[in-house]
Amino acid sequence: MDLKELNQIRETALAEASGAADAAALEAVRIKYLGRNGLLPEVMAQLKEVPNEKKPAFGKGANQLKQELGALIKERQGELASGTKKGEAFDSSLPGQWPALGSEHPISKVTARITEIFQTLGFTVADGPDVETVWNNFDALNTPADHPSRDEQDTFYLENGDLLRCHTSPVQVRYMEAHKPPVRIIAPGRCYRRDTPDATHSANFHQVEGLYVAENVSMADLKGTLSYFAKQFLGEDVKIRFRPHFFPFTEPSFEVDFFFEVGGKSRWIEILGAGMVDPEVFKKVGYDPDKVTGFAFGMGIERLAMIMYGIKDIRMLYENDVRFLSQF
Ligand code: DAH
């Protein structure tokens, strides 16, 4: 007999001991290997036949097997007697545990709903990076060099001169630079501003941008599109109104309010910024303002979610407290 055979015996013996289904089967395994006339005493008896130089290794192997198997059988005896496996206490009368299920975040929900509505009008979803160039975020959007939003106190600048976009409007620029008109996109995404966090401000928030450019796009198209959106989003009874405003990238520009019921009473609530794309923007992205016109709009998702769900503090949207999130 040699070490290889000894190893084979070891493997079978350990497998049989592990696999014994009850105490009687285990006892049979014990007798088969460790009993007085068992295999292991026989192996020991053969030690004298083993060539001298191999004796120490063989003897050591045989002894180890005896101890290993003895320990395993003892452990299995305990397990079979108690009905539990080592390291595991199992009470089959306990009720099962459900894994805690997450829920869709209100910001994702609102974004998905807005996207869905504009998709039914043929808008496709466009995307842009959070880190933007000054050109895409400001210059190409006709933002004057001294506009306050460019200030370092309002916008996060990176060391290389790029910035964290302060609105989703740069996606308009990217998209127009890469595609010929007509374009009809919405662009949901994250934005950043150096605001001190409080109940209504967060340095990181979300917007959805919209852009439609083609021949003969008019204010009537803008109004029709936003009315349709308002009704789909909030119901047939909603009304909308345009208030003149200023944005560098649209002319004319508006703030758009929706009239709808929140918390039991109907009122006008400012929902988005919009306007007709300024010809200067078309020139910067290489479109001919004599050939195309367009409208654009942008809205804040957190604001909408807070109004719709009656959330009083924007920070709750970022704390990821499941007790809060599971309500939506
Ligand atoms: N970018 C504006 C903001 O962050 C929102 C906006 C207003 C986007 C008018 C537009 C627009 O596309 O036409 O406040």
Side-chain angles (χ1 to χ4, degrees), residues 123 172 175-176 179-185 210-217 276-277 281-282 285 287-289 291-296:
F123 284 74
Q172 292 186 30
Y175 200 86
M176 287 191 282
H179 300 84
K180 288 197 168 68
V183 303
R184 194 161 18 169
I185 52 152
L211 175 71
Y212 179 31
V213 181
E215 284 174 23
N216 301 318
V217 176
M276 300 306 292
V277 179
V281 174
F282 284 145
V285 299
Y287 279 16
D288 183 349
K291 295 221 171 89
V292 291
T293 51
F295 65 71

Side-chain angles (χ1 to χ4, degrees), residues 1-3 5-6 9 38-52 54-55 58-59 62:
M1 173 163 297
D2 58 16
L3 268 179
E5 283 172 88
L6 183 63
I9 295 175
L39 255 170
L40 269 173
E42 200 180 310
V43 167
M44 288 305 202
Q46 288 194 19
L47 188 57
K48 56 181 183 299
E49 319 285 343
V50 175
N52 266 344
K54 295 197 174 148
K55 266 200 181 99
F58 189 88

Side-chain angles (χ1 to χ4, degrees), residues 86-311:
K86 193 181 170 203
E88 168 192 293
F90 179 69
D91 179 348
S92 60
S93 68
L94 282 175
Q97 279 182 2
W98 285 99
L101 284 183
S103 58
E104 205 178 9
H105 195 284
I107 291 175
S108 308
K109 266 198 150 135
V110 173
T111 308
R113 181 70 189 125
I114 295 170
T115 307
E116 198 176 87
I117 294 169
F118 282 103
Q119 279 174 329
T120 65
L121 291 175
F123 284 74
T124 53
V125 176
D127 197 12
D130 294 12
V131 174
E132 264 297 3
T133 58
V134 173
W135 170 262
N136 288 340
N137 194 80
F138 289 128
D139 298 331
L141 289 166
N142 197 34
T143 312
D146 59 355
H147 195 275
S149 64
R150 290 194 185 237
D151 203 289
E152 277 196 36
Q153 282 178 352
D154 287 309
T155 298
F156 291 104
Y157 286 89
L158 307 183
E159 275 170 11
N160 69 357
D162 286 344
L163 47 74
L164 297 180
R165 66 179 179 191
C166 67
H167 49 184
T168 41
S169 304
V171 184
Q172 292 186 30
V173 177
R174 291 183 165 269
Y175 200 86
M176 287 191 282
E177 283 179 344
H179 300 84
K180 288 197 168 68
V183 303
R184 194 161 18 169
I185 52 152
I186 54 160
R190 260 176 214 284
C191 308
Y192 305 82
R193 284 182 201 174
R194 293 188 79 141
D195 277 328
T196 309
D198 64 20
T200 55
H201 293 88
S202 165
N204 167 215
F205 58 98
H206 298 74
Q207 287 187 338
V208 173
E209 191 78 11
L211 175 71
Y212 179 31
V213 181
E215 284 174 23
N216 301 318
V217 176
S218 69
M219 271 290 299
D221 295 314
L222 171 59
K223 219 166 171 180
T225 303
L226 292 180
S227 301
Y228 172 83
F229 164 70
K231 292 198 160 117
Q232 293 294 309
F233 195 65
L234 294 162
E236 281 298 314
D237 294 338
V238 69
K239 287 184 269 192
I240 74 169
R241 76 177 177 199
F242 283 53
R243 271 182 297 108
H245 196 73
F246 174 79
F247 296 108
F249 29 90
T250 42
E251 181 58 36
S253 304
F254 305 95
E255 274 183 345
V256 184
D257 305 333
F258 291 5
F259 186 80
F260 60 104
E261 194 185 306
V262 233
K265 70 171 196 266
S266 291
R267 53 192 175 100
W268 287 107
I269 296 174
E270 181 201 322
I271 299 295
L272 48 85
M276 300 306 292
V277 179
D278 194 304
E280 286 305 315
V281 174
F282 284 145
K283 284 187 211 157
K284 308 242 192 209
V285 299
Y287 279 16
D288 183 349
D290 292 332
K291 295 221 171 89
V292 291
T293 51
F295 65 71
F297 57 87
M299 60 188 124
I301 305 300
E302 278 77 358
R303 220 180 107 69
L304 265 184
M306 288 170 76
I307 293 166
M308 288 176 56
Y309 298 121
I311 299 166

